[in-house]
Amino acid sequence: VMGSQILKEEIAEVFEMLEAIGDGKADKHRQICEDVIRMLKDGAIRTQDRVREIADCVKGLSSRPNFAPCNVMMVAESVVRTLRVVADERGVALSVKEPAALPSILADERRIFNAIYNLVNNAIPEVSAGGSITVSGELETDGKRIHLTVADTGRGMSHEVRESLFSPRAISRKVGGTGLGTKIVKDVIDVHGGTVWVVSEEGAGTTFHLCLPISCLGLR
């Protein structure tokens, strides 16, 4: 994070010199550099947040949630932007589907990002080239909750894997995987007073369902 800030300041000086000599391309290149630096800084901060979340999960502790108005689908789009390069390398299509404008909810945006990130990131290795992962959202009929789904066209889960999800004994099929991803998702949804479940069959893909109340006032 500090390195990205230093780089930003150094590059700003370089572009000031370019403008002084009348290089008409300076503005275009400045914008590209600023975009890349912002991506690096955002990525570093997200990594810090994820490590903190994993540490909380392992220790059985959790920092106090920071509830504020949050657009869940914008968070989902941020997750997709972050992971698109990884998905593209595997030939997997990532998309966010929103049938209509959804209301903001009262939520901890950092935790919501981590929950969606874990689900999408875990799904990518499970989907063959040409497959897809889609994040969708809709307002439930009672108007009090948002129903979020993360659906993939991957290989699906066995009964054993499904039964271990959302618990400390979760099974990871990824090389070097810890199985903590879905446990973290469960912790995030619990702190928001929501519910999470999965529908999956071997060979038929997987869909995670997240139900989040629009208002989390009074929850801890």
Side-chain angles (χ1 to χ4, degrees):
V1 173
M2 291 175 63
S4 65
Q5 184 59 40
I6 293 170
L7 183 59
K8 180 179 180 180
E9 294 168 0
E10 291 295 320
I11 286 199
E13 291 186 16
V14 170
F15 279 110
E16 285 177 5
M17 289 187 286
L18 285 176
E19 289 171 353
I21 62 176
D23 187 339
K25 299 179 181 179
D27 287 343
K28 176 183 176 182
H29 293 300
R30 179 199 290 268
Q31 187 60 53
I32 292 172
C33 288
E34 288 179 351
D35 288 346
V36 172
I37 291 171
R38 184 168 55 252
M39 288 172 60
L40 290 171
K41 185 175 181 179
D42 288 348
I45 291 171
R46 294 294 191 190
T47 299
Q48 289 178 329
D49 288 342
R50 282 181 51 72
V51 170
R52 189 179 300 114
E53 199 83 12
I54 291 169
D56 284 348
C57 181
V58 171
K59 293 184 297 183
L61 303 173
S62 181
S63 54
R64 187 176 179 83
N66 179 26
F67 291 129
C70 171
N71 186 314
V72 175
M73 301 314 292
M74 287 184 65
V75 175
E77 288 172 355
S78 179
V79 170
V80 166
R81 284 195 301 271
T82 302
L83 290 171
R84 192 175 298 283
V85 173
V86 179
D88 287 347
E89 287 179 352
R90 297 184 60 90
V92 175
L94 297 185
S95 63
V96 176
K97 183 179 179 182
E98 186 179 0
L102 295 178
S104 292
I105 69 172
L106 202 59
D108 186 319
E109 184 173 320
R110 176 178 67 85
R111 282 181 163 86
I112 295 296
F113 179 96
N114 284 341
I116 300 173
Y117 182 101
N118 273 302
L119 294 178
V120 176
N121 188 50
N122 286 348
I124 291 174
E126 304 295 321
V127 179
S128 301
S132 65
I133 301 169
T134 305
V135 184
S136 304
E138 64 179 7
L139 185 64
E140 293 209 329
T141 54
D142 62 7
K144 296 180 179 179
R145 295 178 297 177
I146 284 178
H147 186 176
L148 206 66
T149 59
V150 180
D152 69 59
T153 59
R155 55 180 172 163
M157 300 179 188
S158 66
H159 175 77
E160 181 186 17
V161 171
R162 287 199 312 274
E163 289 299 303
S164 73
L165 292 177
F166 314 125
S167 73
R169 58 185 180 84
I171 300 169
S172 176
R173 295 184 295 190
K174 293 189 297 183
V175 176
T178 63
L180 289 175
T182 50
K183 174 62 166 57
I184 289 173
V185 172
K186 179 69 163 55
D187 289 346
V188 169
I189 302 307
D190 283 350
V191 84
H192 286 84
T195 54
V196 56
W197 69 96
V198 63
V199 176
S200 181
E201 295 292 339
E202 289 187 278
T206 297
T207 301
F208 282 89
H209 296 261
L210 314 175
C211 261
L212 292 164
I214 290 178
S215 176
C216 295
L217 281 174
L219 294 177
R220 294 185 177 182

